Every structure is written in C-alpha cells, then in structure tokens.
Amino acid sequence: MLRITSYISLFLISFQIQAQEVLTLEQAINIALENNYEIKIAQNNLKVDETNNNLANAGLLPSINANLTNNNSQTNTKQTQSDGSVRELDNAKNFSLSYGIGLDWTIFDGFSMFARKEQLETLEAQGKSELQATILNRISAVYLTYYDLVQQQQVMASIDSAIVISNERVTTAQNRFSIGKASKLEVLNAQVDLNTDKSLLLNQKEIYKNTKIKLNELLARELQTEFQVIQEVTFEDNLTYDELKDLATKQNPQLQAQILNKKIADLNLRQIKGNRYPTVRITSGYNFTRSEASLGFITQSSGQGFVYGVTASVPIFNGFLQNKREKAAKYEVENASFLLDQQKLALESQMASFYQSYQTNLELIKIEEENVTIAKQNLEITLAKFKIGTITTIEVRTAQQNYIEASVRYATAQYNTKLSEINLKELAGTLPLI
C-alpha cells in the first residue's frame, strides 16, 4: 500500500511540474549571470578600474593647453619724461592680447609616476578579483537556493504520502466504527492526525513559496514567477581536502584581492618615498602677443614664436611631513600584511569546517538511506496489520511519523552534503559557472 501512495505523490508532483515551467540549474545560473544586480555593479566597477588604468592618470603623459589672455584698461594717465616734460591723457586706453598653445610635461618625479602606473594596473587586477568573488558568491547563492527548493520538494512529497495514508486511516476507522469494531475515539484520532499532516503541508508550502521568491530575487526577475525545479540532488563524493586547499591558495578571489591590496600598499609607500627626489618639468609652447597703448613710447606691438624651458625643484624641508607620511604608509603596509595573514587563516578554517561537514554528511546519507528503507518496510507491515485490526492507531501513527522523519532526514543530509560541496568549490574558486 505504501508503494501505491508513493506513486500517487510522485504523480501529483510530476503533474505540477508539467503545469509549470521547469527551471533547470543551468538556466537559473545563466539568468543570474545576465540579470543579477550585484554582478552588474561589480562589472561596472571593473570597467571603471580599466578606464582609470592609463598613462595619463599615472602622470606619464604631458598636458597640452590652449591659452588666451585679453586685458583692457581705460585710465587717466600722466607720464613724466626723462627731460622733465610731462605728458597727460584722460581715458587712455590700453589693450593686450596673448594666445597660444602650451605644453607642460613632468619627466621625472622620483619614479612616483611609475609606481602610480603599477598601482593602477594592480587596482584593475583587484577589480577582476572582486568581480570573480561577486560572481562566485551570487552563483553560489543560486546553487544553494535551488537545491534548497529540491530538498523542500522532497519533503513535500513525503508529507503528501503521509496525507494519503492518513486519509486511508480515517476511511478504515470510519468503516470499522460503522460495523462496531472500533470506537469513535479511533475515528477522531485518525482525523486529528490527518489535519496535523495537512497543517504541516501548508507550512511547508509557505516555506517553499518564500524560497522561490528568494531565488527569483537572485535572478533579478518578477518575484512571483512560477516554476518548478528538478527532483534530484546530485553531488560529488570524491573531493579531497589537500587538492581543494591548494586550489584555494591559488584561485580564491578574496585571498587574491587581499594579496593585491598588500601590493597596493607597497606601491603607495613607493610613491611617497618618491617625493624625496627632484622633480623635473619641461614647458614649451607657441604664443602670439599683441598690445596697444594710447600713451607711451610704444603705442602698438605684436609678436609670435616658440617658447620653452626647464624647471627643476628639490625638496629640502617641509616641516618633517615627509617622514610622517612615510611612517604612516609603512603602518598601512604592515596592516595589509596582517589582513593577508588573517585572510589565509580564515580561508583555511572555513575549508576545514566545510570539508568536515562534507565528510560527515556523506556518511549520514548512507545511514539515512538505510533508515528510509527500514521505515518504509515497517510502515507497510504496520498498515497491513492495521487493516486486519491486530494493532492500534497509535502504532500506525508512530510508524507513519518514523517514515516521514527518516525521509526528511535523508533529504536534509543530501542537501547539507551539497551545501558543503558548493561552499568548498566556491572557496577553491572552482564552482562551475555553467
């Protein structure tokens, strides 16, 4: 009889799947990669880093500017000449115009410009690591939520089976009561158990619906979009800790970002130390000038030509600010080293914890699978005895609950194993982006 009820539950679930879209894991991941807002933001942040990584931002290129200066004045002027004569003019107009193109190029600043360029390249690399970390984090969330739904479907299937059995118990109890072989109490107990199972199913459906909303949110689509997920959880049972740890050391995006953060701190110190060296600048340009004056020896002049020069400056004393800035930068380098060591330790701790959970749940799957088989056989025997009236309804209910609990534990063990597997692959940087 239990086999028949199981078939009925599976048929009902299969009918629901046919009535709604079946969302595969591959489809969910592709939708998340295309739509997820956090991934889009991280992609734009990387584009910002790529845009900023150029020679001009590093200070390696010259600046060229077009300049225009136009000055006018109108004054009452009085001039005393060398021979003692005086010249006066009211509202004397003066005019000067200068325009041209100028070049300003810092050709040496204590190698700071080269450190800045390397820092920009490191920031771009860090942006790539942060994008990879965001993608892995969001796709990991899609994996976990998807398989959470798979687990919940399995739980609902178990509860559906329990409801079918509880309905049979109510019918049997009523038939026995009608012919005087059972008391009204047996009918009432069967009805209470049926209502309990229905209540349990309603609560489970609520959890299932909320989890579907959560997955739709991760996929950045309409939250009420209806869909069904696959019925099975598949997992790898041959992951090795040493291999995963070695991959994490090379590929974990959070660790790589922290390594790059340490490099950025080192480069910042190099830039500050560069302020101790001379700065050499080249200036050049081509200018046009014109001036007019209402009073004076020269009433009009104009000119044009090429101008150039070199400027060099050497820092001598700035109130000990250079020493203080270098000292602060060294502390930042030291803190970056501490954060890197902390990240390595946290990564190793997480991997050890998840791997232990992974191994434990692999063993639990074997045990709970056996428990489901035993509980199913026990329930079938108990139902057969109940049909002929050799056992009480309490014994039937106990066998029924044992089967449900074993099925739920089996589904939970499968999910927990998958959870540990996904977390380990995320830390190792090997989570498939299908």
Side-chain angles (χ1 to χ4, degrees), residues 99-101 284-289 303-308:
Y99 60 94
I101 296 178
S284 180
Y286 196 90
N287 292 334
F288 298 83
T289 61
Q304 66 182 62
F306 182 69
V307 295
Y308 55 90

Side-chain angles (χ1 to χ4, degrees), residues 52-272:
N52 289 335
N53 181 18
N54 57 71
L55 296 176
N57 259 345
L60 289 165
L61 296 181
S63 61
I64 300 176
N65 299 291
N67 304 302
L68 173 72
T69 302
N70 185 4
N71 293 317
N72 296 273
S73 67
Q74 187 172 338
T75 61
N76 296 330
T77 305
K78 180 179 180 182
Q79 296 179 349
T80 301
Q81 307 298 317
S82 59
D83 59 1
S85 62
V86 177
R87 302 176 64 188
E88 293 185 64
L89 181 64
D90 292 338
N91 296 320
K93 295 181 179 180
N94 297 286
F95 163 77
S96 67
L97 175 66
S98 174
Y99 60 94
I101 296 178
L103 177 145
D104 190 347
W105 192 358
T106 301
I107 60 173
F108 182 77
D109 63 351
F111 304 104
S112 293
M113 63 179 70
F114 301 105
R116 281 195 296 273
K117 183 61 174 74
E118 191 174 352
Q119 188 178 60
L120 291 172
E121 292 173 353
T122 305
L123 285 170
E124 181 181 342
Q126 190 178 51
K128 292 178 181 178
S129 292
E130 290 172 353
L131 173 59
Q132 184 185 9
T134 301
I135 291 175
L136 285 175
N137 180 266
R138 292 297 83 199
I139 297 307
S140 174
V142 171
Y143 268 96
L144 296 177
T145 308
Y146 188 92
Y147 282 111
D148 190 13
L149 287 172
V150 176
Q151 176 207 22
Q152 291 178 30
Q153 280 188 174
Q154 293 172 341
V155 172
M156 284 192 295
S158 298
I159 299 174
D160 279 336
S161 298
I163 289 175
V164 173
I165 295 172
S166 293
N167 272 316
E168 291 181 359
R169 282 183 54 208
V170 171
T171 301
T172 302
Q174 287 175 338
N175 291 337
R176 293 178 62 186
F177 174 72
S178 63
I179 61 176
K181 289 189 175 182
S183 65
K184 184 64 175 179
L185 180 61
E186 182 176 312
V187 177
L188 294 175
N189 284 335
Q191 188 63 56
V192 167
D193 290 340
L194 174 60
N195 290 338
T196 298
D197 292 339
K198 288 181 178 179
S199 176
L200 185 62
L201 181 61
L202 284 175
N203 290 330
Q204 185 60 43
K205 284 182 176 180
E206 179 186 0
I207 297 172
Y208 182 68
K209 180 64 177 178
N210 289 336
T211 307
K212 287 174 71 174
I213 292 174
K214 179 181 177 182
L215 182 57
N216 281 328
E217 180 186 3
L218 289 170
L219 303 185
R221 64 180 188 175
E222 171 57 42
L223 297 181
Q224 301 301 325
T225 302
E226 286 296 337
F227 63 92
Q228 293 288 340
V229 296
I230 59 174
Q231 296 298 305
E232 297 179 356
V233 179
T234 59
F235 45 84
E236 296 183 28
D237 57 0
N238 58 349
L239 299 179
T240 59
Y241 178 74
D242 290 338
E243 181 180 355
L244 289 168
K245 182 181 176 182
D246 183 59
L247 289 171
T249 302
K250 300 174 183 177
Q251 299 179 174
N252 180 265
Q254 286 90 354
L255 180 60
Q256 297 306 310
Q258 198 59 56
I259 292 173
L260 293 170
N261 191 55
K262 168 65 168 54
K263 185 177 180 180
I264 290 171
D266 291 332
L267 291 169
N268 184 57
L269 177 59
R270 278 178 53 189
Q271 290 183 59
I272 293 174

Side-chain angles (χ1 to χ4, degrees), residues 303-366:
Q304 66 182 62
F306 182 69
V307 295
Y308 55 90
V310 177
T311 302
S313 63
V314 180
I316 296 176
F317 179 74
N318 64 350
F320 304 109
L321 286 178
Q322 179 65 27
N323 291 337
K324 293 178 181 179
R325 289 169 181 165
E326 288 185 16
K327 189 174 183 180
K330 288 178 181 178
Y331 285 134
E332 291 178 357
V333 171
E334 189 175 4
N335 283 341
S337 297
F338 291 150
L339 289 172
L340 178 57
D341 291 339
Q342 184 183 45
Q343 183 67 38
K344 289 179 179 178
L345 185 62
L347 177 60
E348 186 174 353
S349 174
Q350 287 178 306
M351 294 206 67
S353 178
F354 284 130
Y355 193 76
Q356 182 59 53
S357 297
Y358 168 74
Q359 288 184 309
T360 299
N361 282 290
L362 281 177
E363 294 299 319
L364 283 174
I365 286 176
K366 298 176 183 178

